[in-house]
Amino acid sequence: DQQVKQNSPSLSVQEGRISILNCDYTNSMFDYFLWYKKYPAEGPTFLISISSIKDKNEDGRFTVFLNKSAKHLSLHIVPSQPGDSAVYFCAASPSGGGADGLTFGKGTHLIIQP
Amino acid sequence: EAQVTQNPRYLITVTGKKLTVTCSQNMNHEYMSWYRQDPGLGLRQIYYSMNVEVTDKGDVPEGYKVSRKEKRNFPLILESPSPNQTSLYFCASSRYNSPLHFGNGTRLTVT
């Protein structure tokens, strides 16, 4: 049973526009959510996170929104830049941001078109 | 520079030949973990360690062993590799309640 779902394997967005990546989860015990970004031939790198006590967290061009009732979170990138082309993994944890029990989605490949 | 270092980056081996992938971190992190990434399956946890001499199974531990004799090192051991262990492997580390830092991966092919 997949507890963290990223239903879009890939997403193509024009440079300068908004990219919206979606993630759904099923386990109500998850209370901390993270997004990781991965370039080819590199390991994933932490991008942004959000605690379940918040519904929004912003860091520069990146904003994560959390809808607990819908068990849904999204990552917004505005404006999208060519360097944003990468695979994005959504992850969820029941332990307040810790790596213990961290569950990843399958990833969404974001392609920024010039 | 703070980093997680895995070796080797690429490895081709044959079925049944024991191998070890090393992982070392220089951030004094308590937590270390191994993941495998497969097409269409995302990142799945193999084993993890909360501290020295403390290890536990993740979601897909079959066919793997680990050890944590020192805080900085967390090797992944495949005693008898099989073709279904062909994958991209990532080691990661973190402090408690902090995001994971990942290594750059080891691409393993078992023929």
Side-chain angles (χ1 to χ4, degrees):
Chain A
D1 178 34
Q2 200 182 342
Q3 298 187 70
V4 178
K5 301 178 185 178
Q6 294 177 258
N7 291 320
S8 299
S10 66
L11 175 67
S12 184
V13 175
Q14 201 165 10
E15 182 179 356
R17 305 293 285 266
I18 182 171
S19 295
I20 301 176
L21 292 86
N22 293 304
C23 179
D24 297 292
Y25 62 96
T26 57
N27 189 341
S28 56
M29 297 299 292
F30 289 144
D31 68 356
Y32 202 82
F33 305 89
L34 307 93
W35 286 93
Y36 283 82
K37 177 179 180 179
K38 185 184 179 303
Y39 292 121
E42 294 183 12
T45 55
F46 169 69
L47 186 59
I48 192 169
S49 63
I50 187 166
S51 165
S52 61
I53 62 173
K54 294 185 175 182
D55 55 17
K56 177 183 173 181
N57 189 26
E58 192 172 350
D59 183 2
R61 295 186 298 114
F62 302 92
T63 303
V64 56
F65 294 93
L66 175 62
N67 183 333
K68 281 186 66 179
S69 60
K71 293 191 174 68
H72 176 82
L73 64 154
S74 60
L75 174 68
H76 292 214
I77 306 173
V78 183
S80 300
Q81 298 175 353
D84 296 329
S85 294
V87 176
Y88 289 79
F89 290 101
C90 172
S93 168
S95 56
D100 188 22
L102 194 63
T103 301
F104 285 87
K106 294 183 179 180
T108 296
H109 186 193
L110 176 64
I111 302 161
I112 305 301
Q113 305 276 9
Chain B
E1 180 189 352
Q3 58 187 0
V4 178
T5 303
Q6 296 178 227
N7 280 297
R9 290 294 308 274
Y10 301 92
L11 180 58
I12 300 174
T13 189
V14 296
T15 299
K17 186 176 181 181
K18 181 179 178 180
L19 66 91
T20 299
V21 183
T22 64
C23 174
S24 180
Q25 50 94 4
N26 62 0
M27 296 168 279
N28 201 35
H29 286 165
E30 297 85 7
Y31 185 95
M32 297 187 75
S33 183
W34 277 101
Y35 290 85
R36 60 180 287 176
Q37 183 188 4
D38 301 290
L41 296 176
L43 288 160
R44 295 180 295 168
Q45 190 180 52
I46 303 170
Y47 267 94
Y48 65 95
S49 169
M50 302 289 279
N51 216 321
V52 176
E53 301 292 359
V54 180
T55 63
D56 213 340
K57 295 178 180 179
D59 299 317
V60 287
E62 294 77 20
Y64 304 94
K65 283 176 57 177
V66 292
S67 68
R68 188 90 181 275
K69 292 183 170 55
E70 306 163 282
K71 197 171 187 179
R72 64 182 293 125
N73 295 324
F74 191 46
L76 179 69
I77 303 156
L78 284 73
E79 294 271 3
S80 182
S82 61
N84 65 12
Q85 293 178 298
T86 292
S87 187
L88 179 57
Y89 291 86
F90 290 101
C91 181
S93 72
S94 72
R95 295 201 183 282
Y96 293 134
N97 292 335
S98 296
L100 286 170
H101 294 254
F102 283 86
N104 281 332
T106 295
R107 186 166 291 282
L108 172 65
T109 302
V110 184
T111 60

